[in-house]
Amino acid sequence: MPIPNYQAFMQPLVSQIADGRVHSLAELKTPLCNALQIDEEQRAETIASSGNRTVVSNRLGWARTYLHKAGLLSIPKPGFVQITERGLQALQSGQHINNAYLKQFPEFLEFIRPVKDATDASADTAKTTHEDDTTPDEQIKSAWQTLNSALAEDLIELVKKQTPQFFEVLVVQMMQAMGYGGWSKDSGSATQYTGDGGIDGIINEDPLGLETIYLQAKRYTDAAVGRPDIQAFVGALEMKRARKGVFITTSRFSRDALDYVSLIEKKVVLIDGKQLAELMIKHNLGVSVKETYQVKAIDSDYFAED
């Protein structure tokens, strides 16, 4: 019997954590394999492209991700899970827990919705990775987008759990990773220890400090950053006689805040949690490359005759 797909792990995973305690995925692997009748040889089977990640770990990980996106379990810290009230209700319902069951939850539908490419004229007909009417190239791209979407959500949730001081250092490092202050690794600094009047970080764009970018970092969980917060930041910029600022949050900005920055003379850029996670992934901050796939094609020049 082949190794069950990731959906088969969902029901037993929720059942195993029904006691409400925090469990590590490592401790759950053996009882889940027993429940799914996965033998020892299959448990050791690795993904073809990965030297050490097993198929079981990969499928358990995706079952965890999908259940988390649907709200049936929480992730208190990386590698650990805990059942939620919705997860308990799912068990009590007696229904089988799989993708079809999870699709009743709006947040899960938002997670699996097709990722549309704004430059693609056929974006309205985009398909999810679960459909079969796409070419292999399209499936690879869609899978890559799904992986990055899941990574971005997990990444921002992890950032929210860090200290404010950690977050302030992070935003400075992100700006430097993007190339600002690239003349020196010491071009940026966090100011949380100096209480610098509403400024959390500084990036000097040149050695003499003739051009400076001031940063504000708000590590919010759910609350939106409103216009008063942006106005206070603009006031802090005014005290510094600064022309440029970047306001970064782990949550989102209110409509009033977005409208306000479009009306003021100073150049203030707003980066919300979604953009922050995407930038961290793009510039390899807090993430690392797990696997690399090479897609090869015929080299027509090799076969061309003179």
Side-chain angles (χ1 to χ4, degrees), residues 33-229:
C33 285
N34 292 339
L36 293 169
Q37 299 182 327
I38 300 173
D39 62 36
E40 292 298 326
E41 184 177 351
Q42 290 175 320
R43 298 180 196 194
E45 184 178 332
T46 59
I47 300 173
S49 61
S50 174
N52 53 17
R53 185 163 174 79
T54 64
V55 174
V56 168
S57 293
N58 178 265
R59 294 181 181 177
L60 172 57
W62 275 108
R64 180 277 316 267
T65 295
Y66 276 49
L67 291 168
H68 176 232
K69 300 309 178 186
L72 274 67
L73 58 79
S74 64
I75 302 177
K77 54 184 176 179
F80 289 77
V81 293
Q82 185 175 28
I83 198 168
T84 62
E85 183 62 32
R86 181 178 287 179
L88 290 171
Q89 292 171 356
L91 289 176
Q92 293 166 1
S93 73
Q95 298 184 61
H96 187 64
I97 301 173
N98 54 18
N99 282 351
Y101 177 84
L102 300 183
K103 285 180 180 178
Q104 67 182 288
F105 304 113
E107 53 266 60
F108 180 72
L109 291 176
E110 175 66 17
F111 170 66
I112 65 170
R113 69 179 174 82
V115 181
K116 295 185 178 181
D117 185 348
T119 63
D120 186 354
S122 62
D124 289 336
T125 61
K127 305 292 183 181
T128 68
T129 57
H130 307 296
E131 295 178 322
D132 299 323
D133 57 352
T134 55
T135 68
D137 285 345
E138 291 169 336
Q139 291 172 18
I140 290 172
K141 179 180 179 181
S142 184
W144 177 82
Q145 291 171 327
T146 300
L147 287 166
N148 268 9
S149 176
L151 174 60
E153 292 197 25
D154 289 344
L155 186 60
I156 203 64
E157 287 302 316
L158 187 57
V159 171
K160 289 178 181 179
K161 295 175 182 177
Q162 307 307 309
T163 64
Q165 291 78 15
F166 180 96
F167 184 51
E168 289 162 12
V169 172
L170 183 154
V171 299
V172 171
Q173 293 175 337
M174 189 191 73
M175 293 292 293
Q176 291 177 312
M178 293 171 65
Y180 293 97
W183 59 274
S184 170
K185 65 179 182 179
D186 299 320
S187 61
S189 61
T191 61
Q192 73 270 17
Y193 300 113
T194 63
D196 197 5
I199 302 297
D200 294 321
I202 298 173
I203 299 289
N204 289 315
E205 293 192 86
D206 61 85
L208 297 179
L210 297 175
E211 289 291 337
T212 303
I213 301 174
Y214 291 90
L215 311 176
Q216 175 68 277
K218 288 291 185 185
R219 186 186 55 86
Y220 288 169
T221 52
D222 297 310
V225 176
R227 176 169 174 161
D229 291 312

Side-chain angles (χ1 to χ4, degrees), residues 227-273:
R227 176 169 174 161
D229 291 312
I230 307 302
Q231 287 178 312
F233 179 50
V234 171
L237 294 178
E238 189 64 36
M239 292 181 63
K240 298 289 184 182
R241 297 183 180 179
R243 297 184 296 113
K244 294 182 285 187
V246 180
F247 197 116
I248 304 172
T249 182
T250 51
S251 60
R252 63 193 187 282
F253 295 98
S254 70
R255 183 73 259 171
D256 283 348
L258 294 170
D259 290 341
Y260 174 69
V261 296
S262 68
L263 300 174
I264 60 177
E265 183 178 354
K266 294 185 185 299
K267 183 62 177 178
V268 175
V269 174
L270 306 182
I271 298 177
D272 63 19

